[in-house]
Amino acid sequence: MGFNHSLLRFAGIASFSLLLAACSSSQVQEPDLPEHAYYEKAQQAFAEGLPATAAKNLQDLDTRYPFGEFSTRAELDLIYAQYESGDYISAHATAERFIKNHPDHDAIDYAYYMRALSTYVGSQSLIQRYLDIDPSKTDSKELQKAFREMSDFLYRYPTSDYAPDTKARMIFLRNTIARHELQVARYYLKRKAPLSALRRSQAVIEHYPSSTSVEEALAISIQSYNDLKLTNLALLNLSVLQKTYPDSPHINAEGDFIPLPLPSDADPSFWYWVSFGLID
């Protein structure tokens, strides 16, 4: 009798414990708020400098009221909230979604601008921001993507309020990408691969002719043609260098080309090795 009673008591306690565990493991479903409440909470978060909180409320609004009164406005605000909170990938994706879903919206230029800006800022890695390393020494794929997206924006909306800022950023991108091409070209010269170096230098001259790197690109082209024993082409590029940059340090007093020295990392310093080539 006592054993059976204890067994029943144990079974009851075990069942109750399992029930509590099941209840505690299940997610508590928050009741939906009115649509305007999510939007107002997001605006309050913006005012308090909490973009991540604003993004969460805007995402909740979008999930619960995808076709509501505030949905389109919330999508635009979400782009900004994600950008301000440092979630550049999500900001880019949200901007692209807005472009796809609202191609005729009055603020469509803003979506195109933020799409490009998210790529631009996101391309700046942590090591660049905190160690102040020249971005031209890192991978330029994202910079090139930002340049293309900004070009697309300016082509579509040349008179947009965001056009002046975009043009200024494109100048920086153009010069940075061109410097990156020359970084790679110098590497190929060091590796005694003049044809590859030539391709990079010519890419700068062809695609970024107004960049600050054209003078050096011409010098690398001349050096590459000389290394390839293509004297006529080397002289042709030299004539362009003489006419365009008569005071170039790559030309001596007699107008002859001064051969380029090996890049600084041909005899790498300690910092070059510990930074994987990012610091000379």
Side-chain angles (χ1 to χ4, degrees):
M1 181 73 176
F3 174 76
N4 290 336
H5 179 73
S6 298
L7 183 62
L8 289 172
R9 184 181 179 188
F10 174 77
I13 293 173
S15 299
F16 183 71
S17 299
L18 290 173
L19 179 62
L20 287 177
C23 291
S24 62
S25 63
S26 62
Q27 294 183 349
V28 178
Q29 182 67 35
E30 295 182 2
D32 289 349
L33 299 175
E35 182 185 5
H36 68 85
Y38 289 109
Y39 192 76
E40 290 169 2
K41 287 174 68 175
Q43 300 311 306
Q44 181 64 33
F46 277 132
E48 295 174 358
L50 301 171
T53 301
K56 181 183 182 304
N57 284 288
L58 293 168
Q59 287 172 325
D60 288 342
L61 186 156
D62 184 60
T63 299
R64 291 169 170 80
Y65 302 97
F67 305 105
E69 176 186 356
F70 295 90
S71 61
T72 304
R73 204 181 321 170
E75 282 187 63
L76 285 170
D77 286 353
L78 180 57
I79 299 170
Y80 179 73
Q82 290 169 331
Y83 174 85
E84 283 295 304
S85 61
D87 189 358
Y88 304 116
I89 294 176
S90 294
H92 187 277
T94 302
E96 287 210 318
R97 185 181 69 172
F98 187 91
I99 291 168
K100 179 180 178 180
N101 293 339
H102 310 284
D104 299 321
H105 193 276
D106 290 342
I108 191 65
D109 62 325
Y110 174 77
Y112 274 96
Y113 169 73
M114 289 301 294
R115 181 183 70 166
L117 188 62
S118 297
T119 303
Y120 172 85
V121 177
S123 67
Q124 300 174 15
S125 66
L126 290 175
I127 195 169
Q128 289 169 227
R129 292 177 201 162
Y130 297 111
L131 295 184
D132 194 28
I133 291 175
D134 186 347
S136 71
K137 295 187 177 182
T138 62
D139 188 5
S140 67
K141 289 182 180 178
E142 286 299 302
L143 294 175
Q144 291 173 345
K145 179 182 177 183
F147 191 86
R148 290 194 302 270
E149 289 178 345
M150 288 184 173
S151 296
D152 182 41
F153 163 74
L154 286 177
Y155 175 78
R156 294 173 184 272
Y157 309 104
T159 60
S160 168
D161 291 341
Y162 309 106
D165 178 73
T166 302
K167 291 176 182 177
R169 293 180 189 275
M170 285 186 70
I171 292 173
F172 169 79
L173 283 172
R174 180 192 65 204
N175 290 332
T176 301
I177 295 169
R179 289 202 311 275
H180 176 270
E181 292 296 305
L182 294 188
Q183 290 279 348
V184 179
R186 287 193 291 270
Y187 169 83
Y188 283 129
L189 282 180
K190 181 191 70 173
R191 293 296 181 185
K192 301 187 185 303
L195 183 58
S196 296
L198 178 63
R199 287 171 177 163
R200 294 287 183 159
S201 63
Q202 289 294 302
V204 171
I205 297 169
E206 180 179 352
H207 299 298
Y208 309 102
S210 56
S211 73
T212 55
S213 298
V214 172
E215 180 180 356
E216 188 175 354
L218 284 167
I220 291 176
S221 294
I222 297 167
Q223 183 69 59
S224 299
Y225 280 128
N226 281 333
D227 291 347
L228 291 167
K229 310 301 181 185
L230 298 174
T231 307
N232 290 338
L233 290 174
L235 291 173
L236 177 62
N237 279 260
L238 176 58
S239 67
V240 175
L241 181 64
Q242 291 169 335
K243 292 177 182 177
T244 311
Y245 304 97
D247 299 322
S248 174
H250 302 293
I251 305 172
N252 63 21
E254 290 72 34
D256 297 324
F257 177 68
I258 302 173
L260 297 179
L262 286 175
S264 60
D265 60 346
D267 184 18
S269 66
F270 169 77
W271 288 110
Y272 176 84
W273 289 114
V274 299
S275 68
F276 300 101
L278 293 176
I279 303 176
D280 290 336

